[in-house]
């Protein structure tokens, strides 16, 4: 208890000291650590940060960098899409959720830049905050297991927004929480010397990411660990081998859990045209649709179930059909206006009612469908600038963020969720914002 008290006392003193040097330090930190809380709290934190930036306007030198112009231009294009939208009411509602794409870059333009030391402290306390959330959700799952004896409380999220039966609430989304935690993990993983507590934290975060059972994030997570382990210039060969062995053993143990293994196996067993799986021989059996079928089959039945990869392939197919049927190449349907067309395709292909309520689950396709090739261009340009600077600075935590976003956008329409767009643009601006020292959080990553 004494060590926790000492840590909190020291942290509070550091935060207060840095806030005297930069008035946006506390508001920005507050915004980062409230991502997993309700959107109401997140909106208040966003407003406080933006307001603090504007209040410091006279103390800062105004200079708009190209990296900030790009997301602001994307928002302006979203706004303009209202005038050609196929569903103007839906577009207007969605545009307001994306307003951080212009407010956050604008705040970074006018506020005083964070120093290298302040950046390190911000990421440090963000990472410890994520550890706090992880401990809370694990304790919550433990209590629920004692009460229900249902092991599913330790995995993923519930089946519906109002059925909170998983490790994290569905409204938070297990895939999105995985991204938050992976960034925190690499803060501790990249430290040259680690205390016993930090090693325990690493193990805790590692297990938590696997329990969240996001297949895409787990694969990228493991690849990033091996990249860091084998390409860091300051890690000896024996230490690299030891770290790799530990990771493989832990991975093997965790993947032996049936709930996680099941999520991976269903993808591998439904990827050919002959892999249709029936639970029984009756007409009421559930069929796992393969990737081949998702792309080629004209009509489905209400007994057909689309595993994650197959469903995303089907959504790309829907986009291909829509772009051939409608003149949307340059401007798209309008912000969030493609959803009505997806629902029409659900009926056309006879899918089980409800599949049409899902968006494209692919940010690249989503941008193209809603905002045309222009919207896709702005998205790819942001990702290119982001990863280019990450590798240029040899900043592994920035590299982690850049690769996570590129891969996440393949399976999620992350920016079409208010929490998602806020998370992306906050860290995008945080990493892209230069300071006078131009130092990196972690600068010993070499290829």
């Amino acid at each position: 208890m004494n060590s926790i008290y000492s840590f909190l006392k020291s942290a509070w003193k550091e935060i207060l000291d840095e806030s005297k040097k930069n008035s946006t330090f506390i508001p920005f930190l507050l915004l980062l650590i409230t991502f997993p809380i309700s959107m109401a709290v997140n909106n208040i934190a966003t407003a406080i940060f933006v307001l603090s930036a504007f209040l410091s306007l006279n103390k800062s030198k105004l200079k708009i960098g190209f990296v900030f112009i790009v997301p602001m231009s994307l928002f302006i294009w979203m706004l303009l899409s209202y005038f050609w939208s196929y569903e103007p009411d839906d577009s207007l509602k969605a545009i307001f959720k994306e307003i951080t794409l212009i407010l956050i870059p604008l705040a970074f333009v006018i506020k005083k830049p964070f120093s290298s030391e302040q950046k390190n402290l911000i990421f440090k306390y963000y990472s410890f905050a994520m550890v706090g959330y992880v401990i809370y959700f694990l304790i919550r799952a433990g209590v629920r297991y004692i009460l229900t004896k249902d092991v599913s409380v330790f995995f993923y999220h519930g089946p519906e927004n109002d059925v909170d039966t998983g490790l994290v609430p569905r409204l938070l989304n297990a895939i999105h929480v995985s991204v938050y935690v992976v960034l925190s993990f690499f803060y501790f993983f990249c430290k040259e010397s680690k205390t016993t507590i930090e090693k325990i934290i690493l193990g805790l975060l590692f297990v938590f990411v696997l329990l969240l059972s996001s297949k895409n994030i787990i694969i990228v997570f493991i690849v990033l660990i091996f990249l860091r382990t084998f390409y860091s210039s300051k890690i000896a060969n024996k230490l690299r081998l030891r770290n790799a062995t530990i990771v493989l053993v832990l991975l093997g143990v965790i993947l032996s859990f049936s709930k996680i293994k099941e999520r991976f196996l269903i993808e591998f067993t439904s990827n050919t045209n002959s892999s249709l799986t029936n639970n029984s021989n009756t007409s009421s059996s559930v069929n796992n649709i393969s990737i081949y079928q998702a792309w080629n089959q004209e009509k489905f039945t209400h007994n057909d179930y689309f595993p994650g990869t197959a469903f995303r392939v089907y959504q790309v197919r829907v986009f291909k059909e829509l772009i051939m049927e409608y003149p949307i190449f340059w401007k798209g349907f309008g912000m969030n206006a493609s959803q009505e067309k997806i629902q029409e395709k659900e009926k056309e292909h006879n899918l089980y009612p409800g599949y049409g309520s899902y968006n494209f689950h692919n940010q690249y396709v989503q941008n193209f469908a809603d905002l045309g090739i222009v919207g896709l261009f702005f998205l790819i340009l942001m990702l290119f600038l982001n990863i280019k600077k990450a590798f240029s600075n040899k900043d592994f935590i920035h590299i982690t963020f850049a690769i996570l976003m590129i891969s996440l956008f393949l399976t999620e329409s992350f920016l079409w969720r208010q929490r998602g767009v806020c998370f992306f643009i906050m860290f995008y601006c945080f990493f892209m914002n230069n300071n006078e020292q131009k130092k990196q959080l972690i600068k010993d990553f070499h290829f």
Side-chain angles (χ1 to χ4, degrees):
M1 289 298 294
N2 286 335
S3 59
I4 295 176
Y5 173 76
S6 298
F7 171 79
L8 292 175
K9 183 179 179 181
S10 174
W12 183 241
K13 185 178 183 303
E14 277 184 328
I15 291 171
L16 288 179
D17 288 343
E18 295 305 324
S19 68
K20 294 175 183 177
K21 302 173 186 176
N22 191 325
S23 60
T24 61
F25 182 86
I26 290 180
F28 183 77
L29 180 59
L30 180 65
L31 178 52
L32 288 185
I33 66 178
T34 56
F35 274 121
I37 305 179
S38 71
M39 280 310 306
V41 174
N42 199 245
N43 288 339
I44 293 170
T46 302
I48 292 172
F49 169 66
V50 173
L51 182 61
S52 69
F54 275 89
L55 289 176
S56 66
L57 176 62
N58 293 332
K59 305 174 185 178
S60 306
K61 186 182 292 185
L62 189 63
K63 184 179 179 182
I64 303 179
F66 181 69
V67 294
F68 298 125
I69 292 174
V70 177
M72 294 166 72
S73 298
L74 176 58
F75 177 78
I76 292 171
W77 187 251
M78 290 175 175
L79 194 61
L80 290 174
S81 76
Y82 170 80
F83 297 102
W84 63 76
S85 174
Y86 283 58
E87 303 291 336
D89 290 341
D90 292 342
S91 294
L92 192 59
K93 292 176 185 176
I95 289 168
F96 281 114
K97 294 180 181 179
E98 305 291 321
I99 199 167
T100 49
L101 278 175
I102 196 167
L103 288 181
I104 300 302
L106 192 57
F108 268 84
V109 166
I110 63 178
K111 79 174 189 64
K112 181 181 178 181
F114 293 127
S115 67
S116 258
E117 184 181 353
Q118 288 170 340
K119 279 188 158 185
N120 279 312
L121 286 175
I122 286 170
F123 210 87
K124 171 186 174 180
Y125 291 124
Y126 162 81
S127 299
F128 274 106
M130 293 306 111
V131 174
Y133 288 117
V134 166
I135 293 172
Y136 163 73
F137 284 122
L138 287 174
I139 292 174
R140 189 183 81 143
V143 171
R144 288 183 170 192
Y145 177 75
I146 293 171
L147 296 174
T148 65
K149 304 301 179 185
D150 183 2
V151 74
S152 66
V153 298
F154 287 104
F155 301 93
Y156 206 53
H157 55 225
E160 299 173 14
N161 288 342
D162 55 350
V163 182
D164 182 11
T165 56
L167 182 57
V168 299
R170 184 180 174 84
L171 281 172
L172 270 184
N173 193 305
I175 298 171
H176 298 186
V177 175
S178 297
V179 174
Y180 308 159
V181 176
V182 167
L183 277 181
S184 173
F185 173 90
F186 279 102
Y187 166 78
F188 297 102
F189 192 70
C190 290
K191 295 190 71 173
E192 293 178 23
S193 59
K194 303 175 184 68
T195 64
T196 302
I197 295 295
E198 288 170 338
K199 290 176 182 178
I200 293 172
I201 286 174
L202 273 174
L204 194 67
L205 296 177
F206 182 86
V207 170
F208 192 78
V209 170
L210 298 185
L211 290 177
L212 286 170
S213 312
S214 169
K215 301 177 288 294
N216 176 24
I217 299 300
I218 288 175
I219 292 170
V220 175
F221 180 47
I222 299 302
V223 169
L224 286 169
I225 289 176
F226 278 100
L227 278 176
R228 172 64 188 172
T229 299
F230 286 101
Y231 290 98
S232 174
S233 62
K234 295 188 178 181
I235 299 180
N237 289 331
K238 287 185 178 180
L239 199 57
R240 290 172 181 170
L241 184 61
R242 187 204 68 179
N243 289 346
T245 303
I246 292 173
V247 169
L248 287 173
V249 170
L250 284 173
L251 185 63
V253 171
I254 298 298
L255 289 180
S256 67
F257 293 164
S258 60
K259 291 287 184 181
I260 300 176
K261 184 167 64 175
E262 182 181 311
R263 288 183 58 79
F264 276 91
L265 285 178
I266 197 170
E267 300 295 341
F268 289 110
T269 57
S270 59
N271 59 5
T272 68
N273 62 335
S274 60
S275 64
L276 186 63
T277 303
N278 293 335
N279 291 341
S280 68
N281 294 323
T282 67
S283 60
S284 62
S285 60
V286 175
N287 306 319
N288 285 332
I289 295 299
S290 68
I291 292 172
Y292 177 88
Q293 290 171 310
W295 186 257
N296 293 284
Q297 191 166 307
E298 182 61 29
K299 294 285 185 179
F300 299 92
T301 72
H302 287 189
N303 294 333
D304 290 337
Y305 170 73
F306 287 79
T309 304
F311 178 67
R312 285 162 173 82
V313 168
Y314 166 78
Q315 293 289 64
V316 175
R317 169 194 171 178
V318 166
F319 169 70
K320 184 195 75 168
E321 293 175 359
L322 291 174
I323 202 170
M324 293 175 68
E325 296 169 8
Y326 295 91
I328 60 170
F329 180 83
W330 292 105
K331 299 186 296 183
F333 286 110
M335 183 65 192
N336 207 39
S338 61
Q339 197 62 48
E340 194 71 28
K341 303 305 177 185
I342 295 175
Q343 291 173 353
E344 291 174 7
K345 287 293 179 180
E346 173 203 277
K347 296 174 184 176
E348 178 184 330
H349 294 298
N350 194 39
L351 270 67
Y352 184 82
Y355 275 116
S357 64
Y358 295 108
N359 59 28
F360 283 108
H361 273 63
N362 182 312
Q363 193 62 62
Y364 307 103
V365 172
Q366 194 79 53
N367 270 57
F368 204 159
D370 285 351
L371 303 171
I373 194 67
V374 177
L376 178 62
F377 169 75
F378 284 131
L379 175 66
I380 292 176
L381 182 57
M382 275 196 297
L383 295 177
F384 170 76
L385 293 171
N386 191 33
I387 199 165
K388 179 176 179 290
K389 182 163 185 178
F391 278 96
S392 175
N393 287 344
K394 296 184 174 64
D395 178 348
F396 192 79
I397 295 180
H398 190 178
I399 290 171
T400 297
F401 171 72
I403 292 176
L404 275 175
M405 292 299 101
I406 291 171
S407 61
L408 180 66
F409 289 177
L410 289 170
T411 60
E412 297 291 315
S413 296
F414 191 65
L415 302 185
W416 263 229
R417 291 192 60 168
Q418 188 174 350
R419 200 191 308 270
V421 69
C422 188
F423 177 87
F424 171 78
I425 199 62
M426 287 299 295
F427 273 108
Y428 172 85
C429 293
F430 175 71
F431 286 119
M432 300 297 279
N433 191 214
N434 290 317
N435 58 57
E436 67 279 3
Q437 294 172 308
K438 295 186 178 179
K439 292 182 180 178
Q440 304 84 39
L441 291 173
I442 303 296
K443 53 182 180 180
D444 60 340
F445 181 81
H446 299 281
F447 285 102

